[in-house]
Every structure is written in C-alpha cells, then in structure tokens.
Amino acid sequence: MKPSKLIGSFCVLSTLALATSAAIAQTSGSHPGMSEEALRYEGAPTAIDPAQTRNLVSGDGPAITIDEYERSKQIYFERCAGCHGVLRKGATGKPLTTDITRDRGTEYLKAFINYGSPAGMPNWGTSGDLSAAEIDMMARYLQHEPPQPPEYGMAEMKASWKVLVPPDKRPKKQMNKINLKNLFSVTLRDSGEVALIDGDSKQIVNIIKTGYAVHISRLSASGRYLFVIGRDARINMIDLWMEKPDNVAEIKAGMEARSVETSKYKGWEDKYAIAGTYWPPQYVIMNGETLEPLKIVGTRGMTVDTQEYHPEPRVAAIVASHEHPEFIVNVKETGKILMVNYEDLDNLKVTTIGAARYLHDGGWDVTKRYFLTAANQSNKIAVVDSKEGKLAALVDVGKIPHPGRGANFVHPKFGPVWATSHLGDQTIAMIGTDPKRHPKNAWKVVQSIDGQGGGSLFIKTHPKSKNLWVDTALNPIEQMSQSVAVFDINNLDKGFEVLPIAEWADLGEGPKRVVQPEYNQAGDEVWFSVWNGKEQTSAVVVVDDRTRKLKKVIKDKRLITPTGKFNVYNTMHDVY
C-alpha cells in the first residue's frame, strides 16, 4: 500500500473555530505554531503501511470497533504521523500519548480535531477534510495505545537485498556515449521512478523503477554509481556505465526513510554506502558495490535539551566527510549529530555532537570542512567542524529553515557565505563561513533579505553564476508557488525578479508547484520541476542563467510528478 497523495491545502478557521480552539489551546499548549506552508510540509503521509502494524486495542479506552480502529489508523498515518510521530510520542508536534488523551477525554478531543488551533493544529472538521463520524472515531482512537510498526533488522534487510548484476558482470568501461557529468536524476514522485535526462540533449535516457517518492539521489565518489532512496526505504543502485543505465542492486533498509550516501574520504572511495531510516529509527552501513547490509545502529536515546528518552528519533540528512573516514548523520528528534567512523565496523567509533532538535537537511560550505544543517523547528542552523569533530556554532535564523543543500557564494561586502531560505517566513539568511579571513563574520547571519514569501524548499546558486534562485513551492498563494524569485548576488538590496516558470511550461490545469532549482555542470542553465497532479501534465523547465530567459520545456507523458533533480557532477562534487 502506498500513502495517499499530498494532502491538499488547509482552510482558514471560521470566527467560531478561532474562539473555540483558542480556548482549548490556552489550556493544552499541545501544538507549536505552524504556518500553512509548514503544515503542508510536515503533514505529508508516512510511507509505513498501516496494515503491517500490530493493533493494541484494550478496555482502558472508550469503545471502538476493530473496523473503526483500522480506519482511524489509516487516517492517522496519512495526516498526523508526520507531525506527532508514528508512536504518538511527539515529533515536530507534541505527544498524543494515552496519559494525555484520556485525561482530556472524547469531547475535548473532538472539538480540538474539528476546530483546530491558532497555534498550529489544522481544523480537520470545519475544513471538510474529516466528517463528524470520522472525528468522533479519531477522538476515541487516540485514547487507545498506538499500533506498533514492526522492527526491521538484518534478517529483513537481507531478505529484501538483490544483486541484479554482480560486480564482475558489470562493464569495465563506460558503454554509452552520454556525457555523464551533465546527466540529471529526476525524481518522479508518485510513479516510484527516476528519470535520467541528458543535460546536453534534454532527452530522457531511461525511466527506472525505484522506491516510492525518491527523496534524494547521491553519487558514488567515482561518479559511476547513482544511489536513490524512496520514502518507503527502498534503495536502488544504478550503474551509469551500462549501455542503458539501470539498476544493478537494491535493498529495503526499513519501512520509511529519507537519506543515502557513500564514502568519499581518500582511500575509502565507494567502499561503503549508508542509509538512515525514519522507521525503525536507525542507520545501516552497506557494501558500496553490492548494498549488502553490514552494520545496523539504532538511534533511540535522550534528547539534547531536556535529556528525556525519545523512542522515535528519525535519521534525516547524511553526508560523507572529506576530512576523515566518517559519515555525518543527523538524528532529528534528539537533536544530535553523529560522526560515524567507518574504519572498523566491528569496533565502531561514533562521536556525538549535541546541536538542536529537529535536525533536517543541510550542506557543506565551499571548503567542504564545515557542514551547515537546519534544526528546522528550533529555527537554527548548526555548524559542524568536520575536521575537529565538534560543533562550531548554533546560528539563529528565520522560521523553519529549509536549505536543501544551501547556497555558497561570495558576498560583495561580507565575503564567503552560505544561505538558506525558510518554510515559515519570507526571509533568506546569509551566514558567514570564512573564520580565517573574515573572522568577525564567521557563523553569524551577516544579512537577511526578503524573498517572495514562506513555503520555500530550495535555494541555489553556482560558482560560475551571479544569480541566487529561491523557490516557494509550498506557498498557499498560487502566484508564488508557480514562480521563482531570482536575485543578483552583487546587488542583493535591489530585490528580486519573479519568473513565471509554470506559465512558461504551459501545462493547463493543476497546482503546478515549481520546485528545486538545479544547475547543469557548466553553471549556465537552471532546471526547475513543475510538479503537477499525478493525473495531470508536468514538465521540467530549463532557464538560461545569464539572460533569465526560457531555454527549453521538457515535456513527456512519462514525467509524472517530477520534484527533486540532481546533476551528476554537481552532486558528486558538492557544488551548490
């Protein structure tokens, strides 16, 4: 079973709903403030199949039938687990454990679900998303113990592991004429595929079956192998040297996941791959040629701030260190960054760095020594010195930073900076990254400027470009979600130009969200996904970076819900 499509936008609360939910919020304080943009992002369905969980219905809660419990579980996994956690112990949303829900009672919970809260809870009833019967059912369901997803260990991983083409049967040299350095891996979210598109000819090379909603594509240090991971934790290893690039190995690393990476330190190139999962909360180190699982490590533990135990700390971003034979692993809910040394898997050495809660995505500064990563609900950027193995800084930024990998450029006044945009507000924060030549600016927000609005997922530039591109894909205003803002790096105070990317794509009806600018290898083109509905026409739009004019619209009926795009050369060399 696959999760439902992206939940639609949420309605504005009525006057009555505001009054009722405000009174509830004052007594409960159980939901953080969250913008509509953030709700669209955090409220995405979990990839865990509810049918695989073990039900825990007891006489301690109000009466509920098995059919009602099953239906409620489906609703919770599709609409609630992203904020409150699969185990209801709390994630970016507060806990919904039975000690809390039984104390509140059915009528209280019904009102809260129906009207929502100005502090961030959607109004599931008054918006029309849930019926009165469903709200009553959910209020009773939340007073029973949450269903338990199964654990997923070595036996399950090995049962899913397939080597489709053994290493000794693979090509000894590149067997195609593709300019691999300018190849793009494009996520086709709802079809469970990636499209490989030739950046020179703009032609589709192959459509490859993968896991559901591939989150990222990563390259081996050699640039030969492409690794992709779906939200359902399926990892595919694609050999780009084949006459027609395709899968050579695959594995399912868990039940829900976001991150995959390969070893890049000198002498250890491509020896290992690593994947981190949302469920179970753990990471696995694999053979870099075959994906054979070698070492599984759990991440359950104490939070960095209150020092309380958290049973579901999900693994978010993972990057490979260039300073040591290490992977850097973000543990989301506990706010810890792990430096995992892979020199000796039998005697694994892990350095734990306390940062801030809700770690998510991030990228390297231009020297590739410092890893800057968002602690999104803490509104901070954590800076890790990968050479010294310690936290260099925690930098306060705007509301819910979501940098993707961020953007590195030389600011005309402050020197080298790394920039992030935000889900929760319109700002773009620039952080100084040169402690040697610009020590007064290092690890501080040296400038903050306004973009189009909140709901930004990605920001991007290129060493050869003078432009800074910012999307607003999750903004509720159609004009913003269907366009991008572009700044002149040398004249940031001038403001931005808006380019109507979705209009240029000429796709007809649909939401047409414009997402993730990605440069080609040369740095003279920027590619955008126009992410439409599953049954509607989508496209990839190519813009000339120098002129900011439309260069090409790539349309094909096989391009179903394109989202993330990853240029081989730029991803391989951490160019952003």
Side-chain angles (χ1 to χ4, degrees), residues 125-158:
T126 57
S127 68
D129 287 292
L130 295 179
S131 68
E134 287 173 324
I135 289 170
D136 177 74
M137 182 177 68
M138 289 298 296
R140 288 179 284 124
Y141 166 79
L142 291 174
Q143 296 174 72
H144 289 270
E145 295 296 332
Q148 300 292 306
E151 298 296 324
Y152 200 93
M154 186 62 74
E156 290 80 8
M157 287 190 200
K158 285 199 169 180

Side-chain angles (χ1 to χ4, degrees), residues 23 34 49 90 96 164 166-167 187 239 265 288 293 304 346 350 353 432 450 469 485 497 514 576:
M34 197 178 284
D49 182 353
L96 292 172
L164 306 172
T187 295
D239 187 353
Y265 186 66
V304 71
D346 291 328
V350 180
I353 298 172
D450 286 346
W469 302 84
E497 179 183 0
V514 175
Y576 34 82

Side-chain angles (χ1 to χ4, degrees), residues 265 319-326 328 339 341 351 353 364-365 367-371 383-392 435-436 443:
Y265 186 66
V319 296
S321 174
H322 301 273
E323 297 284 352
H324 301 286
E326 292 177 338
I328 302 176
M339 315 283 285
N341 187 297
T351 300
I353 298 172
W364 295 103
D365 80 307
T367 69
K368 300 180 179 63
R369 172 174 172 172
Y370 297 98
F371 176 55
V383 184
V384 172
D385 183 342
S386 68
K387 184 175 182 178
E388 297 297 328
K390 63 182 183 181
L391 187 72
K436 289 187 177 180
W443 319 134

Side-chain angles (χ1 to χ4, degrees), residues 479-493:
Q479 183 179 355
M480 294 185 187
S481 66
Q482 295 186 1
S483 62
V484 296
V486 55
F487 294 83
D488 180 349
I489 286 171
N490 292 320
N491 194 1
L492 292 165
D493 293 331

Side-chain angles (χ1 to χ4, degrees), residues 174 179-181 183 218-227 238-241 262-264 269-270 568-569 571-573:
Q174 184 178 338
N179 176 11
L180 294 181
K181 291 182 178 180
L183 185 69
R218 289 291 182 261
L219 272 296
S220 63
S222 65
R224 172 177 182 171
Y225 294 112
L226 174 70
F227 295 80
I238 299 165
D239 187 353
L240 300 180
W241 281 11
T262 63
S263 53
K264 293 182 178 177
E269 296 94 337
D270 301 349
V568 165
Y569 181 88
T571 304
M572 177 181 167
H573 294 281

Side-chain angles (χ1 to χ4, degrees), residues 61-222:
I64 189 169
T65 68
I66 294 298
D67 286 345
E68 287 177 324
Y69 189 94
E70 290 289 343
R71 174 61 185 141
S72 298
K73 179 172 64 174
Q74 182 79 33
I75 292 172
Y76 182 85
F77 275 42
E78 289 180 349
R79 299 172 184 255
C80 314
C83 284
H84 297 285
V86 171
L87 299 180
R88 306 210 307 254
K89 297 285 188 178
T92 50
K94 295 293 184 179
L96 292 172
T97 49
T98 54
D99 60 318
I100 298 170
T101 57
R102 290 174 188 169
D103 180 64
R104 297 292 193 267
T106 301
E107 294 305 314
Y108 175 97
L109 294 171
K110 283 168 62 176
F112 204 69
I113 296 168
N114 186 46
Y115 295 116
S117 162
M121 175 74 171
N123 53 320
W124 294 111
T126 57
S127 68
D129 287 292
L130 295 179
S131 68
E134 287 173 324
I135 289 170
D136 177 74
M137 182 177 68
M138 289 298 296
R140 288 179 284 124
Y141 166 79
L142 291 174
Q143 296 174 72
H144 289 270
E145 295 296 332
Q148 300 292 306
E151 298 296 324
Y152 200 93
M154 186 62 74
E156 290 80 8
M157 287 190 200
K158 285 199 169 180
S160 73
W161 172 48
K162 299 176 184 177
V163 179
L164 306 172
V165 183
D168 62 353
K169 301 295 184 183
R170 297 172 193 168
K172 306 302 180 187
K173 62 180 181 179
Q174 184 178 338
M175 301 302 291
N176 56 61
K177 296 183 179 180
I178 305 166
N179 176 11
L180 294 181
K181 291 182 178 180
N182 201 31
L183 185 69
F184 286 78
S185 174
V186 181
T187 295
L188 305 182
R189 185 188 188 277
D190 292 330
S191 65
E193 299 169 317
V194 294
L196 300 184
I197 302 180
D198 186 329
D200 294 345
S201 68
K202 314 297 188 292
Q203 299 298 309
I204 296 175
V205 172
N206 198 12
I207 303 284
I208 299 173
K209 292 299 296 183
T210 62
Y212 170 74
V214 162
H215 192 67
I216 57 171
S217 298
R218 289 291 182 261
L219 272 296
S220 63
S222 65

